[in-house]
Amino acid sequence: MKHTPLLAAALALTAAPVLAQSQLSIATGGTGGVYYPMGGGLAEIINNHVDGYSATAEVTGASVENMGLIATGDADLALGLADTVQQAQTGTGRFEGQQLEMIRGLASMYANMIQIVTLEDSGITSLADLAGHRVSVGAPGSGTEINANAILEANGISYDDIDEQRLNFNETADALANGDIDVGFWSVGAPTSSILNLATTQSIRLIQLSDAEIEAAMAANPIFARTSLAGGTYDGVDADTTVLGVPNVLAVSSEMSDDLAYEIANAMFTNIADLQAVHPAANQTTVEFTLSATPIPLHPGAIRYFEEVGATVPDRLRP
């Protein structure tokens, strides 16, 4: 039921405890990626469909920072790349010695595509060509940087071989346009606004990995999956491009109540069309994708929702 502002104010004065909203924070990423609009869309769903709660999407440094925000209680929900989320939950990789065991999955939202972009006239056409060039590997501590480093290392390229720059998505696009860097990595859903905008003012090229490079990366990091970026996604890139993909997980803390986790999962999947209207990446946000792609245990409240809709939750996803 919607109240007029005056009526709502009057009711708030007379029955504040009943109308008090508990505030939820959703940790996303930079404004030039997909996390921020997806988080904003999820906040709207919570505001409209989860009684007693209001949510806000927060700009953050993305995956690695977001796991820390869940652990400290500074965020209630957070988006993160599957490999980063798994490392945090198991205390491996970037999180060696600082395991955040309390991290649980609520859903897997969509698969990132690792897009390696240069300008058409750069002369750079392959991964090997990156040597000696200025390369943005993503914002410091971002999932993009983890993915970029994994792909480079798996194919015998280290930061010693390149002039690495740690820029967020918008900064990377601007630096390419201004000639301040030669190549940029994006690990993000496609299309993403920063590349779309870049492609309207510059002729861009997506660097295609060879089969051997893809297989080397997948052997080094089993969370990687081979996927295809459709031709026409960006101006001037007409051919399909084979890329590596990584699922994105919506994470919460095991401290979240079972009822709240259930209510959020129920609201999101029931009203998924609202999220799809915000960003096409949400077309991948399904119960089936969650149960196949999530690399960490699910929250019991989410499991309750999935079982209620008739899904079979694998044992590996039970805490």
Side-chain angles (χ1 to χ4, degrees):
M1 172 179 180
K2 295 208 170 174
H3 300 303
T4 67
L6 284 174
L7 177 57
L11 288 169
L13 287 172
T14 57
V18 177
L19 292 178
Q21 297 274 305
S22 294
Q23 182 67 35
L24 299 175
S25 171
I26 304 173
T28 65
T31 56
V34 176
Y35 283 7
Y36 186 67
M38 288 282 273
L42 177 58
E44 279 298 300
I45 288 173
I46 291 171
N47 293 341
N48 293 333
H49 301 287
V50 179
D51 288 344
Y53 289 90
S54 62
T56 307
E58 310 288 353
V59 174
T60 71
S63 300
V64 174
E65 179 183 331
N66 289 356
M67 295 307 100
L69 293 172
I70 290 288
T72 58
D74 291 311
D76 302 286
L77 302 103
L79 289 158
L81 281 165
D83 47 356
T84 306
V85 172
Q86 184 180 54
Q87 287 176 13
Q89 206 272 334
T90 56
T92 55
R94 181 70 66 94
F95 292 87
E96 189 89 42
Q98 48 176 340
Q99 181 180 11
L100 308 179
E101 196 283 327
M102 78 296 294
I103 293 188
R104 297 288 182 268
L106 198 75
S108 282
M109 306 296 284
Y110 64 96
N112 266 20
M113 294 188 182
I114 300 165
Q115 301 158 68
I116 311 172
V117 180
T118 187
L119 299 188
E120 197 172 46
D121 60 3
S122 69
I124 298 168
T125 60
S126 70
L127 196 66
D129 289 343
L130 268 55
H133 285 97
R134 301 162 299 172
V135 181
S136 172
V137 293
S142 66
T144 293
E145 186 184 2
I146 289 177
N147 292 163
N149 194 32
I151 290 170
L152 293 170
E153 281 197 351
N155 288 287
I157 302 170
S158 77
Y159 282 179
D160 291 339
D161 301 315
I162 63 173
D163 176 7
E164 83 276 7
Q165 311 281 324
R166 291 178 174 83
L167 307 175
N168 69 27
F169 294 147
N170 286 336
E171 291 167 345
T172 297
D174 289 345
L176 277 168
N178 296 333
D180 295 330
I181 62 170
D182 305 300
V183 181
F185 277 80
W186 275 258
S187 184
V188 65
T192 187
S193 60
S194 42
I195 301 178
L196 282 170
N197 294 338
L198 177 67
T200 63
T201 61
Q202 307 286 330
S203 296
I204 67 167
R205 170 187 293 131
L206 259 65
I207 294 173
Q208 170 125 5
L209 301 178
S210 68
D211 285 345
E213 288 165 347
I214 287 173
E215 284 161 17
M218 289 171 63
N221 186 343
I223 285 177
F224 283 147
R226 183 193 299 258
T227 186
S228 182
L229 179 68
T233 300
Y234 301 115
D235 285 352
V237 183
D238 298 328
D240 292 354
T241 306
T242 302
V243 297
L244 288 165
V246 184
N248 287 280
V249 179
L250 179 62
V252 298
S253 170
S254 58
E255 298 291 310
M256 178 179 277
S257 76
D258 289 4
D259 286 347
L260 178 56
Y262 168 85
E263 290 293 344
I264 294 172
N266 183 20
M268 184 178 76
F269 284 106
T270 303
N271 299 284
I272 198 62
D274 294 353
L275 200 55
Q276 291 164 349
V278 171
H279 200 285
N283 289 314
Q284 296 181 52
T285 309
T286 63
V287 172
E288 294 74 21
F289 182 63
T290 290
L291 297 180
S292 67
T294 307
I296 59 167
L298 293 168
H299 192 289
I303 290 174
R304 190 206 314 173
Y305 171 74
F306 297 136
E307 291 184 333
E308 193 175 272
V309 297
T312 301
V313 178
D315 287 344
R316 67 179 178 82
L317 294 183
R318 297 179 183 277

